Each structure stands twice: as C-alpha cells, then as structure tokens.
Amino acid sequence: MQPNSPWQTADFRTLFSATALSQLGTNVSYVAVPLIAVTELDASPGQIGALATLSTLAFLLIGLPAGAWVDRMRHRRVLIAADLARAALFASVPLAWWLDALTLGQLYAVVLLNGCATVFFDVGSQSTLPGLVGRDVLVQANAAMMSLMAVSNVAGRSAGGTLVQFLTAPVAVLCTAGSHLASALQLTRVRPDQAPLAQGRTSGLRKQIGEGVRHVSGNAELRALALTAALTNLGSQIINTMLPVLFVRELGLPASALGLYWAAGGVGLLLGARCARPLAGRLGYGRTLGVMGLCLAPAGLLVPLIDRGPWLWLAGAGGVLVLFKTGVDNVLGVSLRQRMTADALLGRMNATFRFVLTGALAVGAAVAGLIGELAGVRATLWVGAALLATAFLPVFLSPVRGRRELPDEQPLMAAAPVTKS
C-alpha cells in the first residue's frame, strides 16, 4: 500500500465497497427498467423518453436544496436512508409484475422516487469523501471511485443484459433491490461523522443555496467544468435513451447485446479514470482536460452509425473513446472542484453541479423522446452525437486549460475564489 494512500483509511475502504454494491444495482437497473417498458409494457419512444426523464428529474426538482440539507445532516445517515429507500422502490417492481399489476405509471413513480434518493446519495457521497481521506489524496480517492463506477458499468450493464435475457427483466430489478440493501448494511460500518459543517449557521435555506450557486457560476474554471460536463451528459442521454428501442425493436438484437454495448463504454470509462493521474502528471491538469477533449470528443460522431455487423463495432469504438475522455474528465474535474471549495460549501457545490449535470440528463431524455416521436431514432442519435463532439469547448476555451496543478490550500468559505469573465 502506497504512503498517503486513501486505502489506508478503513472508512474509505468501507465506503468504496458499499458504493460498489450500490453502483452494481444501479447499472443493472439502467438496462432492466427500460427493457421492462419495451418488452413487457410495449412502450413507445415517447414513453421511453418520459421514463428516462423522470429518472433524473429529481435533480432539477430538489437538487439545489438537497445540497444545503446535506450540509446540515450527518452524511452516513443520508447514505443509508437513500439506499434503503432505493431497495424498497425497486423491490416493488417484480412484486407488481408477479401479481400481474405492473403498469407504466408505477415504473414512472419508481424511477422518479429513486431519483430523489439518488440525489441525496450522490451529494452525500461526494461531500463526505474529503473528510474521510483528507484533501492531499483526493485525486487518488476520486480515481478509485471513478474506476469503480467504470467497472460497475461493465459488470452491471453486461450482467443486466444477461439477467434480462435469461431470467426476465423483473428478476434483474429484484437483484438491483438486493444490491442497494446490501450497500445500506455495509454503510453502517462507517464511523458516525462529526457534527454537520453547516450546523449553527443562521442563514436561511435560500441564502445557503445561493452561496453554492454563486460559488460555481462566479468562478470561470468551475463554470467551464459544469458546462462541458452538462453538454456531455445531454448528448449521452439523448443517445442512450433511444438505444433500447434501436437494439431490441429496430435491429432485433438480444438484450444481452445492449448490455454488452453499454459495458464496452464502461471499459473506456475505466481506462480514462486509471490514466487520468499519469496524464495530468505529464501534461498538467488543465492541458490534459483540453487535449483529451480536442482529440477524442469528435469520436462521438461515430455512434449514430450503429447497425448490425462491422458498423456495431465502429460505433462501439466511438463510444469507448468518448467515455475514455469522460473518465479523465471525471477524475480531474471532480478533484479540481473539490480542492477549490471550502469544506462548509462542499454539499452545496456538489449539489449545484449535480443540478446542472443531472438536469442535463433529464432534458436530454425529454428531447430524445420528442425527436424520436417526430423524426425517428436515427435523427435522435445524430443530435446527441453533435453535442458530444462539441462538449469539450467550454473547458478548452477557459482558464482551466492553463492550470498545471491543483490548488495547494483549502479556500476559506469567506474567500471562495471568484473569477469573473
């Protein structure tokens, strides 16, 4: 074990293993839930778009206040409660299916409420990480967490496609419920955190939310990171929302093929996360973000070429390259924004980013459903690909590109960096 490694911290190891279980369940459901709608409930492209929209709508509805709430609460309790809620919600789906009572309305409700729980889990997880490992090893810790997410994409989505094909989609969703329950039990081993950072503050909720939004929007580097990530999410979601319809209904491919396609993208995400630190050490943090975007983002234009035979492999290669860039962006971008934010603002900063980034997923799903109904699946893919190919521009044209190292010291909340441009 290397010196100054996050793996020396028992609580980090526990959080990592719990997140692994949670991510596995999330990625199985990513494949299984839309396939339930397509295969069991004969959903249209518009209805699939609505399902994907509702799954991320919570970040628009409660994303910003969730950050202020998380700053006031004990993070471990937030994570446990969120996992228990997700386990109960997903368990209701196979139960209704076995009772022959499953409807699109129930699926809509499940994904919406699951999104609410995920808001708190994601914001709480990213907010508690600096306190668990210390800021000096944040890049290593974030690289480990992003690598975990990538491995979970590979394992969870390939497993999800296989479970759907051989054991039906409702059984796959039941496995998701079990994963979230196991994650909640694992999180009980994390030591109770200290008193909430925002405890004792007299400012109201609206003022606290405003502090987080101004911290992100008023800083040129944070603003560029948020815009690039939002455009990437928008383009990815427009494409991914229509892939179940394209694979299963138009191309007649099995559910396992869709799972493997998404899993291949997870390989790219994993490689990007693992290469982020070495690349940043050689090129600098900002130049790495800029160069990766300039060289790899245009590969997104290969994705709409997806079809049977060699075209499937070509489109898959394009998706892997884009997700390699995303893996690099995730590690370096998350580390940069954490190092540029005071501890007392972490929850609200993360919530602001989640509001923008996952809000882009909600918008992307709605746009995908609309374009899919009006112009067809292929046209939808080209719109998403164009966004992916140009998403790197905000970072490339910002001061981020000139940053060699991460900030050395934690900023004071009263002196949070504000650089207007």
Side-chain angles (χ1 to χ4, degrees):
M1 189 178 296
Q2 298 179 351
N4 297 324
S5 167
W7 298 106
Q8 294 176 335
T9 305
D11 284 341
F12 174 75
R13 296 195 298 270
T14 302
L15 176 65
F16 184 90
S17 60
T19 304
L21 291 167
S22 183
Q23 282 291 320
L24 181 62
T26 296
N27 282 286
V28 169
S29 69
Y30 188 89
V31 179
V33 170
L35 287 177
I36 287 177
V38 171
T39 61
E40 302 290 336
L41 302 174
D42 196 28
S44 68
Q47 290 170 325
I48 295 297
L51 186 68
T53 301
L54 289 170
S55 69
T56 51
L57 186 61
F59 283 87
L60 289 176
L61 298 177
I62 63 170
L64 291 177
W69 291 329
V70 167
D71 278 341
R72 297 174 175 181
M73 295 185 287
R74 299 188 186 277
H75 296 156
R76 187 186 73 151
R77 294 179 182 176
V78 172
L79 300 179
I80 293 172
D83 260 334
L84 290 175
R86 293 191 288 187
L89 287 166
F90 282 118
S92 73
V93 174
L95 178 61
W97 178 72
W98 285 323
L99 296 175
D100 198 24
L102 183 63
T103 65
L104 266 176
Q106 180 180 344
L107 278 187
Y108 288 157
V110 166
V111 298
L112 176 62
L113 295 174
N114 173 70
C116 293
T118 301
V119 169
F120 285 94
F121 189 92
D122 287 355
V123 172
S125 178
Q126 288 192 349
S127 299
T128 199
L129 189 60
L132 289 183
V133 303
R135 289 174 175 264
D136 290 342
V137 294
L138 266 181
V139 177
Q140 297 97 308
N142 282 319
M145 298 300 283
M146 296 305 167
S147 298
L148 169 62
M149 292 176 62
V151 171
S152 298
N153 283 354
V154 176
R157 296 182 185 185
S158 58
T162 302
L163 287 170
V164 169
Q165 183 169 348
F166 293 104
L167 298 178
T168 72
V171 172
V173 174
L174 182 62
C175 293
T176 292
S179 294
H180 286 302
L181 179 60
S183 174
L185 294 175
Q186 179 74 346
L187 285 167
T188 61
R189 297 174 52 198
V190 176
R191 290 175 300 170
D193 40 342
Q194 298 176 352
L197 293 172
Q199 186 171 340
R201 292 180 59 86
T202 58
S203 57
L205 180 63
R206 182 176 299 180
K207 182 177 179 180
Q208 289 188 339
I209 293 172
E211 289 172 349
V213 172
R214 285 191 296 273
H215 174 64
V216 174
S217 64
N219 185 293
E221 292 180 81
L222 294 179
R223 188 169 63 244
L225 291 171
L227 287 173
T228 283
L231 288 172
T232 300
N233 281 4
L234 183 64
S236 296
Q237 185 74 341
I238 288 174
I239 290 173
N240 288 334
T241 299
M242 287 296 106
L243 286 185
V245 180
L246 178 66
F247 267 74
V248 176
R249 187 170 294 167
E250 296 198 2
L251 298 181
L253 295 170
S256 58
L258 175 61
L260 289 173
Y261 181 87
W262 273 330
V267 173
L269 195 66
L270 173 62
L271 292 175
R274 301 307 300 168
C275 292
R277 279 189 68 206
L279 287 171
R282 180 177 294 273
L283 301 176
Y285 283 79
R287 187 178 297 174
T288 299
L289 290 169
V291 168
M292 288 299 101
L294 180 65
C295 296
L296 299 183
L301 295 173
L302 296 174
V303 175
L305 302 176
I306 190 169
D307 208 328
R308 287 177 168 273
W311 294 106
L312 180 61
W313 293 94
L314 182 64
V320 167
L321 291 175
V322 170
L323 282 166
F324 179 91
K325 168 194 169 292
T326 302
V328 173
D329 289 354
N330 284 348
V331 172
L332 302 186
V334 170
S335 299
L336 177 57
R337 76 197 204 206
Q338 287 172 335
R339 287 283 287 269
M340 296 181 72
T341 304
D343 282 344
L345 266 174
L346 278 171
R348 282 163 284 169
M349 178 277 292
N350 286 322
T352 301
F353 266 86
R354 283 293 179 180
F355 175 81
V356 174
L357 273 54
T358 315
L361 295 179
V363 172
V367 168
L370 179 62
I371 298 176
E373 287 285 348
L374 297 178
V377 172
R378 291 289 178 180
T380 307
L381 297 185
W382 281 109
V383 171
L387 288 167
L388 285 178
T390 56
F392 73 98
L393 288 174
V395 161
F396 190 79
L397 300 175
S398 78
V400 172
R401 189 159 58 100
R403 177 175 285 280
R404 177 73 189 178
E405 301 288 346
L406 295 177
D408 291 329
E409 298 180 357
Q410 178 191 160
L412 297 174
M413 185 167 171
V418 177
T419 305
K420 293 184 179 180
S421 61

